[in-house]
Amino acid sequence: KKYLEKLINPNQQFENDDFGVYIDAPEFVDENNIRNKHEKFIGLVENRIFDKLNFKSTSIETRTIENGEIIYTELKDKGNTIFWLKEKNPFYPYIKDVKISIYYLNPYAKAFFTKQTGIQSVNYGSIFLFINGFRISPYGEVGNDWLGLDQRKAQKTRSFLGLRDIIGQIELLDEENHFQIISSREGIVRNDYYKNLTNSERNNSFYYKAHRRLERYVVEGLNWDSSIYDNKDPLFKEIEQKIISGSASSEELMFREDDETKQRRTYSAIHSIISAKISDVEELYINEKLILQKIEDEREKSEREFEQLIKDFDNKKIDSETLNRILQRKAEQNADLEKQIKEFSKYTTNEATSKAILELQNYKKTIEKQTQLIDQLQKQLKVLADEKAKADKKIEEAKDEVEEVKKELTETKKQNLFLKSIKSQEFNDVLNLMHHIGISTSTIQNYIKGAVFKLENNIDFEKEELKTVFSKLNYELNKIHSISKFATKANFKVETKDSELDMVSFIEQYLMNIIKPFLPKKISLVVYEYNIENFITTFKPLELIIVLDNLINNSKKAITSRENSLETSFDPKIEINFNQLNENQLEITFQDNGIGISDENRKKIFDYGFTTTDGSGLGLTHIKELIEKIGGKIELEEKNNRIGAKFIITINKK
């Protein structure tokens, strides 16, 4: 029965009153009834090899229409039409009434074929030939390479389809006997009609015109539509058996690439796949989803990049060079869209494809508008660059002012012993403000030293590095200006007045918004909370800021000292913990993993004027005084095996 099935054209199943083949064997009725559907052999012999295969495989159908003068070709992938095409028949009048159906079988489709027919595709055959409804031997039989497919595939294994990759048929209606049958062993006469049908030289034949289009789609579009598993993998064998038994789910059919990747590649190669002369094309349809999906992917990416561009521009995180690169990309994108539209416009397309092409044109207009806006941003950036140059000049002028402040601070350090005897609290406040200014000027000095070193040694500045230096210098100068204006007795009391605030929230915001952005990137600053509801109390914000700045500055120095003394690197860290002990009491721990404090210095660190660095020695003394003013105390944790120093601050509500 399997042999008889191959004699029947699956696309020309006979009706009851037409010619047909029947098997009548009553003695095998019982055995026939217990077999699977494709194994039953009594009754009408039918060839159903292509039933449902269209939805499991990739296929192409090419046939002549309009008395043979036009060729209609339709390429489908798992039931979805990728394109169809009407074009003039270059093989007329040799090829008048012909239809070709070719199916590419990926590894899963081969298993579906076995389920449908009960036989492996490799043991079934390849491209069969039917003339006037009857199969012509030996064309298409196992191992019969009458079209030269395997010979051709041997030249480029990964570029061409061979006998094992496809099944299909060629159907001819030949009332004039142009395709003359010799015998069942020799086939038909190899005349000009035969050559126009099958010639493989330069793919110049009716069959190879269809074959090459399917081949290009499989190779250039689907990348062979491969399974994630190798054919010899036990997991693949398991899925294969499930497909044959009918128990496999679609989720189990895993491919090396997803559908979106294949669609993008297919869109890029679509004109190469179609490969039609413009003058021959009567009408073209390209799956509009391919075009619209391509537009949607590019539009989403383009809009996301454009929004980020605007955001970076507003935040002053973009330079002229970057804008030039973006403009270049937009120009390339616009040129590519222009090329796509030009390619599509060569053909007469149907309504659905024309609408998709219109969307492509609208998207091109969007890219052009974005390009115009970016060009405007570039002009604005030039204006900002001119303003920056003026600001750079002001920073240079500020160097002299910084040096003057530095001299004054040096004189102040020399007067430490004298200052100890002065008990005026207001004068102490002013003095400590000056100490706070000293921290900032020291930071400024370090940045200037680094810049001068690079200039003297001809080391190039990166633009982002230069911007960072200017930004931090500007920050410290503004800070000095803000603090120094309080140092007049007329304004001091007003600007340092008590405020009733949530202390935890105030400290967190100051650390995260003011301190953290200007810490070296290598230092991690983390804050933890335990049992915190709210802790509203009365304090002077400026005084609390001075406490925080001094503690942070001390930690930075300790971390730097540890870095200089170690041969191996470590992860610098400053950690602040809040723990609300009860309704009226807050505990704050402030610790780092710096070099730590020696045993001989632990008892002297809060002494007035004591210092182990080139500082004034007022930092921790002033911290202790300010914390006591707001109803608290500060202690250094007893030494343990942990690296670094840990201060415990306890605050009582006022």
Side-chain angles (χ1 to χ4, degrees), residues 409-410 412-417 419-420 431-432 434-436 438-439 550 553 557 607-622:
L409 288 172
T410 301
T412 302
K413 289 179 185 178
K414 293 178 182 178
Q415 298 177 25
N416 277 344
L417 292 175
L419 294 175
K420 285 184 181 180
L431 177 63
N432 286 312
M434 295 303 296
H435 172 71
H436 197 58
I439 294 173
N550 274 275
N553 194 52
K557 290 179 180 178
D607 291 350
Y608 200 86
F610 177 79
T611 179
T612 60
T613 68
D614 60 353
S616 65
L618 300 180
L620 285 173
T621 303
H622 191 41

Side-chain angles (χ1 to χ4, degrees), residues 6 13 82 130 178 189 235 260 335 437 440:
K6 295 181 183 180
Q13 300 291 344
I82 303 303
F130 290 84
H178 293 306
V189 176
L235 289 173
E260 288 187 6
I437 292 172
S440 292

Side-chain angles (χ1 to χ4, degrees), residues 267 290-300 337 356-361 363:
Y267 179 86
L290 279 178
I291 303 173
L292 296 176
Q293 183 62 46
K294 172 72 173 178
I295 295 170
E296 188 60 31
D297 290 346
E298 288 200 3
R299 178 183 284 125
E300 183 179 344
L337 288 169
I357 295 170
L358 183 60
E359 283 297 314
L360 196 64
Q361 292 170 335
Y363 174 59

Side-chain angles (χ1 to χ4, degrees), residues 141-254:
E141 292 178 0
V142 176
N144 180 266
D145 190 16
W146 69 291
L147 293 166
L149 297 177
D150 276 354
Q151 182 181 355
R152 181 171 168 272
K153 183 177 176 67
Q155 301 170 14
K156 291 184 179 180
T157 304
R158 292 300 298 169
S159 298
F160 296 146
L161 297 173
L163 291 177
R164 289 174 172 265
D165 302 313
I166 58 176
I167 62 168
Q169 61 189 23
I170 303 173
E171 305 169 50
L172 292 168
L173 288 180
D174 183 27
E175 297 178 355
E176 299 175 4
N177 198 29
H178 293 306
F179 294 88
Q180 301 168 19
I181 301 171
I182 302 173
S183 69
S184 62
R185 290 187 177 182
E186 297 183 34
I188 60 179
V189 176
R190 289 168 173 76
N191 56 20
D192 287 341
Y193 291 90
Y194 179 86
K195 289 179 181 178
N196 273 274
L197 177 68
T198 65
N199 187 15
S200 64
E201 293 182 12
R202 298 186 302 278
N203 303 325
N204 187 25
S205 68
F206 188 79
Y207 171 79
Y208 268 100
K209 193 174 186 67
H211 182 94
R212 279 297 289 139
R213 283 170 173 164
L214 176 66
E215 195 170 59
R216 288 191 190 99
Y217 179 70
V218 170
V219 177
E220 298 175 22
L222 300 182
N223 192 22
W224 292 91
D225 208 18
S226 305
S227 165
I228 195 172
Y229 305 110
D230 184 84
N231 289 0
K232 296 179 181 179
D233 194 313
L235 289 173
F236 176 78
K237 295 294 183 183
E238 182 181 333
I239 295 173
E240 186 179 44
Q241 289 304 313
K242 284 186 176 182
I243 293 173
I244 295 171
S245 66
S247 61
S249 64
S250 58
E251 288 77 12
E252 293 178 280
L253 310 185
M254 300 177 67

